[in-house]
Amino acid sequence: DYFYLAQLRSQGEDTTEDRQVSGAIPLDEVPDMLRALGYYPSNFDVRDLVHEMSRKDKDHVTFEELVRLYVNYKPVAGVSQAQIEAAFEALGAEQMTGIITASSLISQLKRIGEPLSDQELTKCVEALTGGKLS
């Protein structure tokens, strides 16, 4: 269903014209497809994946190719609770409570890791805290 939706999205969502279902999706739809399947690739992984397909002169991906990309790029094991706790400690959370202030988290995320815009950071922190930042 997601693959079919991606084909429709690539042709424009607000059209009443007949759609052409080709059995392939544009390369720029692949990251969202992987996210829909539960794998959230980093920006680096997305660039690597797009580069791999571009080397093959591909600008569209079939369902079979998407499955192959998913299997090849998705980590075998998920992230454990201990890894999440260690990451928060590395970001400056208190060792006893695991609490980190929103401003400290934003500051650290701006300084290290993949670049995020202020809007992306705010959205992420609001999702983590369950509310608006003041």
Side-chain angles (χ1 to χ4, degrees), residues 37-40 70 73-85:
L37 295 170
Y39 168 50
Y40 300 91
Y70 177 75
Y73 279 87
K74 184 179 184 306
V76 176
V79 179
S80 70
Q81 179 73 24
Q83 289 172 312
I84 293 171
E85 290 170 0

Side-chain angles (χ1 to χ4, degrees), residues 86-108:
F88 270 83
E89 272 188 39
L91 290 171
E94 295 179 24
Q95 287 186 353
M96 295 299 289
T97 63
I99 295 174
I100 186 170
T101 64
S103 61
S104 178
L105 178 61
I106 289 172
S107 173
Q108 289 286 32

